[in-house]
Amino acid sequence: MPLPYRGRGSRLASSRVASTSVHSPRRAGRGAPWSSHALRLTRRRHSSEQVPPGPEPQADFRSGKWLQEHAGGDARDSQQTARAGMGSRHRICSQEEVVIPCDSDNDSGSVDLQLSNLEDIKKDPSSLELTDSDIFDITGLSQESFIDSFRHLTQQGPVSEANVERLIQSIQEVFNGELQSEFEKLTFLRSLSSLSQTLPYDETTESFIHSHITDIVHVLNMLIEEEPLHSLFSSVRQEVFITIANLSYQDIHLLFGSEDRADLFSLITKSIITLPSVETLIQLQEIMPSGSYNTECLYRQTFQAFSEMLQSLVVKDPHLENLDTIFKQMDPWLQSTKDHERERATASMAQVLKCLSRHLSLKLPLRFQRLGHFVALMALLCGDSVTEVAEEAAEGMHCLLHVTLRLKCTIYDKKNHPNLRRAMKKCQELLELYSIKQFYSCPFKIAQIFEAFLNSNELFQFVMTTLDGLENLKHPCTQKSAGELLITMVKNAESRFEKVPEIMGVICARLSIISQPRVRRQIINTVSLFISRPKYTDIVIGHLLCHPVPYDRHLAELWRTLEVELPSTTWILWRLLRKLQKCHNEPTHEKMAYVAVAATDALYEVFVGNRLQAATFRLFPQLLMTLLIQIHHSIGLTMSDVAVPSGLYTGQEMSSEVTPLCFAIQATKSLLLRTLCWQEFNIMEKNKGWTLLEGKECHLQGVSLLANALLERNHLLAQKVMYLLVPLLNRGNDKHKLTSAGFFVELLQSPVARRLPSIYSIVRLKDWLHHGNRVFKFLALRGLCYLIKHQDMREDIRSLLPCILDLLCETDEKIVLLAIQILLQLVGTMDFTTLTAMMKTLFTLFGDVRSDVHRLSMTLFGASIKSVKYTDKKGVENQVLDSLVPLLLYSQDENDAVAEESRQVLTICAQFLKWKLPQEVYCKDPWYISPSEAGTVCKFFVCERYWLC
């Protein structure tokens, strides 16, 4: 039902000169007990608080008498009427009762909830049908109709056409002239208010006002600009607020719709909010007396007029677009660092919310898109260090809950929407546990109840606002409240967030300015909650890895102090590890991905913090191998070889000492220490293992050293690594495969290796024998050397003899030596054909410049002669005879080991030929010293050879 205008207009006229009589003055009665919670409201504190000494006749401004007298030219001229109106200067602190449209006499702030209508929720939530009465019952607000709240106002009769013309003329004169004195300003404003009351029935008035809105806005803007910002000595501000409110009730909005109107709204808001505190205003009055004005009383009535003006904007606001505009104007003041400004803004919003909650009639589409921000900001104010601010915020929060419920019921097509029913049930259950004061003084309880009603975008707004509250360094309690709100909201609504990267960005930026340990802990716990949920793990990790390395102390603290439940630790560490592993699949000729370096540094910080210890032990094999592979990839690189995202190091210089390799080495060291591999660590230290790992040519030696140390000191972990490596050996690029293969081969020394299926051991080594990379051939031969010790595996290895024999011709000394070592183990099992072929190849190695190859080739040749069967002796006799002279000559080699081996093989050959060599053959002295001994040896071989022939 529409609101009758006259009552509304006269009600606002009365607030020019009215003062409340509901309780004693704030200052005089500070020690007196309060009769109800409502007396604590800032609305009361900011309103006039004079106590009437006794009944005395007063002019009834609510009756419209002032309007009729002002408009009636037959009683007195307009100037006399205006002067009579100016009598309000002397009536500012009169004892007239203030009429507050959005309050009720029974507003005691009671927390007793009428929940009888919600019993069906407990019995059968699915059958619940939500009604407005349910919402009022949940929130504890009375359901008062718009008309009833103004029922006590006196109706007034219409203004005559002549008086309307006079009012229009007087207003028109102002548009064409200037307002000099306070008297002229007040006359204009009151004339405009009076004229506004004729809008419902006078087309001339409607046409005039609509055609001159720009002029009206301009004049009001000028009037406010002329008012001093640091003092309050006139009632012009109050009259401006009343005039705007009167027009608003007639759907003439001077504060919405254009840029100049928005500027006016901003200006009048600033003019009242930024006034000095009441104490300062009183002091100014003492220094500069302002006649009959009582500054404190004038301020409170001015502020009350401002609050009522705001309320007039939302009385008919079905789409909440006016509320949205008001909140945008008040938002910066709600976050002001000045206590009195924050208190005024909070008090104003509390009254707006109370008015809105009682006169709410919503229609789609709703244009209030900042609910999450609004809820969070009011919740933060509930924990404000200023008691008055906290009380006002709590009152406003209670009304906001009702508005939110109604808003959500309007959004959903069906009132029985299951999500809304569940949310209301949760709301009911929480409110049953606490009183209103207890409830709204605990930020985490506020977050609990509003979480159920906020959608994903509103949740994002809520979190971002609480994160902004963390910047409030002046009020530590606000930081504390923000931290509690943040952690509670994330914990309860963690699955419904959609803009996690943005949230992480703000959190990382805020960490550097938060000094309170408890608040820092809450922020880090928030990150821990997000990162521990599989839905967000990769998102959070990905964002945290997009920061400069090495991490600053704040990011390092975050990584080190992650607080997650045990089941989630392995998941988090595994996802971080996967970020690094994926980089190892990239071609080696391209720049290293920045994520690889960042993930390595993150792993180091996690190991140092040791909060994920159980997961570190569980994933030790994967972690160790991934870091060793990262070391291999990082050898010889600087940060210029890393694909650093543009803008990441803006304004920062990267130290030349910071390299990808240093991150990988320090992470590997910390991993060994955190998994109690102290002995392995010491072995690496004593044998310069870290230096070996860092070398381009000796990296695999470092890998082998660490693998052997692990195998020696912790064979259980070594076995786990071996089983892990089985599927990894053929993955990734060459560096990935080489490091994995190097570690795997050393672990083949373990007795457990014999349990591996041949497809994962011998078959794989066979493939490496044919690999184009000589390193793989070397590793294959090294692995065969370990496996050949197991008798049950020799038969499979014997099938590889052709491949191994071919390797005797390799130019790589290590490959040839390993091939000879394997052949020494298999020579006794060779068939005659293979044996003779090998002996021919070995004969070509006699005299090889590589002394070890030379020596071992003769050793294998001697072993081959021993293994020849009796029936096959004739087939190799010529090869033995051909080897005698070379062996005899090499017995005089300057390399003692070669010479000694030659003499031993000569003995084997002599035994094969059934010769008895002269003792001079075994003489170690050079023959040129003893020519006679040389002659004896030569004569022996010539005679024996001739006899054979």
Side-chain angles (χ1 to χ4, degrees):
M1 182 181 296
L3 174 68
Y5 167 71
R6 298 180 187 88
R8 287 180 290 178
S10 57
R11 164 198 110 6
L12 286 166
S14 70
S15 61
R16 299 189 189 103
V17 296
S19 64
T20 182
S21 60
V22 296
H23 57 84
S24 59
R26 177 184 175 189
R27 300 180 182 280
R30 186 178 296 273
W34 289 336
S35 61
S36 71
H37 179 74
L39 302 186
R40 306 177 193 178
L41 299 180
T42 306
R43 169 178 47 73
R44 307 290 193 182
R45 291 196 302 270
H46 287 274
S47 62
S48 176
E49 298 182 340
Q50 300 296 316
V51 177
E56 65 177 84
Q58 294 291 339
D60 188 358
F61 290 90
R62 289 173 294 168
S63 65
K65 182 184 293 185
W66 181 86
L67 174 62
Q68 294 176 4
E69 291 177 350
H70 184 71
D74 55 345
R76 58 182 64 86
D77 59 27
S78 61
Q79 184 174 0
Q80 290 174 329
T81 305
R83 189 176 293 110
M86 283 295 293
S88 63
R89 172 190 293 267
H90 305 286
R91 296 192 297 270
I92 284 294
C93 295
S94 69
Q95 292 83 23
E96 187 68 30
E97 180 184 42
V98 170
V99 179
I100 302 173
C102 300
D103 192 13
S104 64
D105 296 333
N106 61 355
D107 179 24
S108 62
S110 172
V111 299
D112 296 330
L113 303 176
Q114 303 299 324
L115 299 169
S116 58
N117 293 335
L118 297 179
E119 288 299 322
D120 291 338
I121 296 179
K122 299 177 181 178
K123 298 176 182 178
D124 184 9
S126 63
S127 63
L128 175 66
E129 188 164 328
L130 305 179
T131 63
D132 287 347
S133 62
D134 293 330
I135 297 175
F136 281 103
D137 286 340
I138 290 178
T139 57
L141 293 172
S142 61
Q143 188 173 10
E144 179 181 335
S145 70
F146 186 85
I147 295 299
D148 291 342
S149 63
F150 298 101
R151 187 176 296 162
H152 59 279
L153 298 180
T154 306
Q155 302 292 322
Q156 67 177 48
V159 180
S160 65
E161 184 176 347
N163 291 336
V164 169
E165 290 297 330
R166 291 190 182 92
L167 289 173
I168 291 176
Q169 183 179 358
S170 66
I171 295 171
Q172 185 70 55
E173 290 174 357
V174 173
F175 294 155
N176 300 326
E178 294 183 359
L179 295 173
Q180 299 292 339
S181 65
E182 179 182 351
F183 167 77
E184 293 176 345
K185 295 175 182 178
L186 293 175
T187 300
F188 165 76
L189 292 169
R190 290 173 180 172
S191 297
L192 188 57
S193 291
S194 300
L195 186 63
S196 68
Q197 297 182 50
T198 67
L199 278 167
Y201 54 83
D202 193 291
E203 294 181 358
T204 302
T205 300
E206 182 178 5
S207 175
F208 173 77
I209 291 181
H210 278 287
S211 62
H212 290 83
I213 286 181
T214 302
D215 296 324
I216 295 172
V217 170
H218 173 72
V219 174
L220 296 181
N221 194 83
M222 179 188 65
L223 293 177
I224 294 297
E225 285 181 339
E226 291 175 354
E227 290 296 299
L229 292 176
H230 303 295
S231 61
L232 183 63
F233 293 133
S234 78
S235 60
V236 172
R237 280 189 183 89
Q238 178 184 352
E239 290 296 337
V240 169
F241 301 152
I242 292 173
T243 300
I244 293 174
N246 281 328
L247 288 168
S248 296
Y249 281 122
Q250 299 302 326
D251 296 326
I252 304 295
H253 295 295
L254 303 182
L255 306 180
F256 309 137
S258 64
E259 185 176 350
D260 58 337
R261 300 184 199 184
D263 291 341
L264 175 61
F265 198 174
S266 177
L267 181 63
I268 65 175
T269 302
K270 181 179 179 180
S271 73
I272 184 68
I273 299 293
T274 60
L275 282 173
S277 64
V278 176
E279 292 77 6
T280 304
L281 290 174
I282 293 173
Q283 292 174 1
L284 287 174
Q285 184 182 29
E286 294 173 353
I287 298 172
M288 298 180 294
S290 57
S292 59
Y293 278 117
N294 181 313
T295 301
E296 181 177 6
C297 187
L298 176 60
Y299 160 74
R300 298 189 187 285
Q301 292 203 12
T302 302
F303 183 83
Q304 183 67 22
F306 172 74
S307 297
E308 293 181 359
M309 178 199 74
L310 295 180
Q311 294 172 60
S312 71
L313 303 177
V314 297
V315 165
K316 291 190 293 184
D317 190 16
H319 303 290
L320 296 183
E321 53 188 337
N322 294 352
L323 176 65
D324 187 68
T325 303
I326 293 172
F327 180 54
K328 287 178 182 178
Q329 291 291 339
M330 301 301 293
D331 190 359
W333 304 113
L334 290 168
Q335 303 179 68
S336 173
T337 57
K338 296 181 180 180
D339 293 345
H340 65 278
E341 291 181 354
R342 200 166 61 257
E343 181 182 358
R344 288 167 184 163
T346 308
S348 300
M349 287 309 301
Q351 292 189 51
V352 168
L353 288 170
K354 176 169 283 191
C355 176
L356 183 64
S357 67
R358 294 187 175 177
H359 309 123
L360 196 61
S361 179
L362 298 177
K363 296 179 181 178
L364 294 176
L366 297 177
R367 295 189 174 89
F368 186 63
Q369 303 298 327
R370 309 178 72 196
L371 179 60
H373 176 49
F374 197 5
V375 171
L377 190 52
M378 293 299 289
L380 287 174
L381 292 170
C382 287
D384 199 276
S385 57
V386 179
T387 303
E388 290 80 2
V389 174
E391 289 178 352
E392 286 294 343
E395 189 72 18
M397 202 73 189
H398 191 51
C399 299
L400 181 56
L401 175 59
H402 168 245
V403 173
T404 302
L405 291 173
R406 291 288 300 276
L407 185 149
K408 294 301 178 180
C409 285
T410 303
I411 291 176
Y412 294 124
D413 293 336
K414 296 181 180 180
K415 289 189 176 182
N416 287 330
H417 194 283
N419 291 337
L420 183 59
R421 291 200 305 273
R422 286 193 294 269
M424 293 188 68
K425 181 180 179 182
K426 181 177 180 180
C427 173
Q428 170 217 0
E429 292 171 348
L430 289 171
L431 287 176
E432 282 181 331
L433 299 177
Y434 313 103
S435 67
I436 289 179
K437 184 175 182 180
Q438 289 175 328
F439 183 80
Y440 293 110
S441 63
C442 297
F444 75 90
K445 296 173 184 174
I446 297 174
Q448 275 184 315
I449 197 168
F450 275 92
E451 169 270 323
F453 299 104
L454 302 182
N455 59 34
S456 59
N457 185 57
E458 292 162 350
L459 286 171
F460 174 73
Q461 295 175 5
F462 185 98
V463 170
M464 298 301 284
T465 302
T466 55
L467 287 172
D468 290 338
L470 296 173
E471 290 186 344
N472 198 332
L473 303 180
K474 183 178 179 181
H475 298 289
C477 62
T478 302
Q479 281 193 344
K480 177 183 174 183
S481 298
E484 291 180 359
L485 282 169
L486 181 62
I487 191 70
T488 304
M489 184 60 78
V490 172
K491 187 178 295 184
N492 285 275
E494 57 195 2
S495 63
R496 295 193 285 126
F497 287 97
E498 295 181 353
K499 300 180 182 180
V500 176
E502 291 85 345
I503 295 173
M504 290 299 105
V506 176
I507 286 178
C508 293
R510 299 294 188 272
L511 271 177
S512 61
I513 64 172
I514 300 171
S515 57
Q516 291 190 68
R518 179 178 178 182
V519 179
R520 289 181 69 86
R521 183 70 260 155
Q522 290 171 329
I523 295 304
I524 293 175
N525 285 347
T526 300
V527 178
S528 301
L529 282 173
F530 276 121
I531 202 173
S532 63
R533 299 303 179 261
K535 180 179 179 180
Y536 306 121
T537 303
D538 286 344
I539 296 174
V540 176
I541 290 176
H543 180 84
L544 295 179
L545 295 182
C546 292
H547 288 79
V549 292
Y551 295 117
D552 60 32
R553 64 184 183 88
H554 306 292
L555 265 296
E557 178 190 0
L558 193 156
W559 281 115
R560 294 181 184 187
T561 58
L562 286 174
E563 198 72 49
V564 295
E565 298 176 355
L566 186 60
S568 301
T569 56
T570 303
W571 168 252
I572 294 169
L573 195 56
W574 170 245
R575 297 314 300 168
L576 177 58
L577 183 64
R578 285 294 297 153
K579 292 284 186 180
L580 179 55
Q581 289 176 342
K582 289 179 180 179
C583 299
H584 297 160
N585 296 325
E586 301 297 328
T588 55
H589 63 274
E590 296 183 0
K591 278 191 171 186
M592 176 177 286
Y594 179 79
V595 171
V597 183
T600 305
D601 193 23
L603 286 171
Y604 165 73
E605 299 296 349
V606 169
F607 297 152
V608 171
N610 209 27
R611 293 296 182 92
L612 309 182
Q613 186 181 37
T616 304
F617 275 101
R618 189 174 294 113
L619 295 176
F620 175 82
Q622 294 91 331
L623 290 166
L624 179 62
M625 291 312 306
T626 303
L627 289 174
L628 289 176
I629 293 168
Q630 177 63 17
I631 290 174
H632 198 173
H633 280 84
S634 303
I635 294 173
L637 299 184
T638 64
M639 289 304 292
S640 61
D641 300 309
V642 178
V644 179
S646 59
L648 188 62
Y649 286 93
T650 303
Q652 301 182 33
E653 292 186 3
M654 176 61 68
S655 172
S656 59
E657 297 179 358
V658 176
T659 64
L661 185 58
C662 73
F663 291 119
I665 291 292
Q666 72 177 6
T668 307
K669 289 180 177 180
S670 60
L671 172 64
L672 292 178
L673 294 175
R674 286 307 187 193
T675 51
L676 309 181
C677 295
W678 300 322
Q679 294 180 346
E680 294 85 339
F681 182 87
N682 290 333
I683 291 173
M684 293 293 289
E685 291 283 333
K686 291 178 181 179
N687 294 279
K688 299 182 179 180
W690 306 116
T691 303
L692 292 173
L693 282 174
E694 294 173 355
K696 186 175 183 180
E697 300 299 330
C698 55
H699 170 72
L700 286 181
Q701 296 179 39
V703 171
S704 298
L705 178 63
L706 181 55
N708 280 284
L710 190 65
L711 187 61
E712 177 185 351
R713 302 296 180 180
N714 199 329
H715 63 90
L716 290 177
L717 277 180
Q719 291 174 17
K720 291 181 179 179
V721 175
M722 182 175 67
Y723 287 127
L724 165 75
L725 286 171
V726 167
L728 294 180
L729 291 172
N730 289 331
R731 296 180 186 175
N733 53 35
D734 285 346
K735 290 183 178 181
H736 181 290
K737 293 176 181 177
L738 279 173
T739 302
S740 302
F743 208 99
F744 175 75
V745 163
E746 297 304 320
L747 298 181
L748 291 177
Q749 301 176 73
S750 170
V752 181
R754 63 191 300 175
R755 302 177 188 172
L756 291 174
S758 62
I759 191 174
Y760 297 130
S761 54
I762 295 176
V763 174
R764 180 159 286 161
L765 296 178
K766 178 183 177 181
D767 294 338
W768 293 350
L769 289 174
H770 295 91
H771 201 284
N773 190 327
R774 291 178 179 177
V775 179
F776 278 103
K777 294 179 180 180
F778 167 78
L779 293 175
L781 292 171
R782 191 174 180 88
L784 290 173
C785 284
Y786 296 140
L787 294 178
I788 205 170
K789 297 175 184 178
H790 305 294
Q791 293 295 330
D792 55 343
M793 304 187 77
R794 288 196 172 191
E795 187 62 30
D796 291 333
I797 296 175
R798 200 167 69 86
S799 64
L800 303 179
L801 278 174
C803 299
I804 299 173
L805 288 174
D806 290 341
L807 295 177
L808 292 175
C809 300
E810 281 284 341
T811 57
D812 190 318
E813 180 181 4
K814 294 180 181 179
I815 293 177
V816 176
L817 292 177
L818 284 173
I820 292 174
Q821 289 179 19
I822 296 170
L823 293 172
L824 283 170
Q825 300 290 326
L826 298 175
V827 68
T829 63
M830 293 180 186
D831 58 72
F832 179 73
T833 304
T834 303
L835 191 64
T836 55
M838 181 181 72
M839 291 177 68
K840 288 180 181 179
T841 304
L842 291 172
F843 186 74
T844 63
L845 296 176
F846 288 3
D848 196 293
V849 295
R850 300 165 295 186
S851 58
D852 288 339
V853 173
H854 183 181
R855 179 177 58 83
L856 286 178
S857 64
M858 291 187 296
T859 302
L860 180 56
F861 188 84
S864 301
I865 294 173
K866 286 182 179 181
S867 64
V868 175
K869 296 179 181 180
Y870 179 80
T871 56
D872 297 327
K873 283 189 175 182
K874 286 292 183 180
V876 297
E877 190 175 84
N878 287 333
Q879 291 188 39
V880 173
L881 289 172
D882 292 340
S883 67
L884 292 177
V885 174
L887 289 171
L888 183 62
L889 293 175
Y890 292 135
S891 67
Q892 291 292 305
D893 197 275
E894 60 183 6
N895 187 313
D896 293 341
V898 172
E900 181 63 27
E901 190 63 33
S902 296
R903 288 190 285 270
Q904 291 183 10
V905 176
L906 272 173
T907 302
I908 295 172
C909 290
Q911 291 174 351
F912 178 82
L913 297 172
K914 296 183 180 181
W915 291 358
K916 184 176 181 179
L917 295 175
Q919 289 298 319
E920 288 79 4
V921 173
Y922 303 104
C923 181
K924 296 182 180 180
D925 296 331
W927 286 347
Y928 62 84
I929 297 177
S930 303
S932 60
E933 293 180 357
T936 302
V937 172
C938 290
K939 181 179 179 181
F940 172 80
F941 278 100
V942 171
C943 294
E944 291 294 335
R945 178 66 177 170
Y946 177 77
W947 181 82
L948 285 174
C949 294

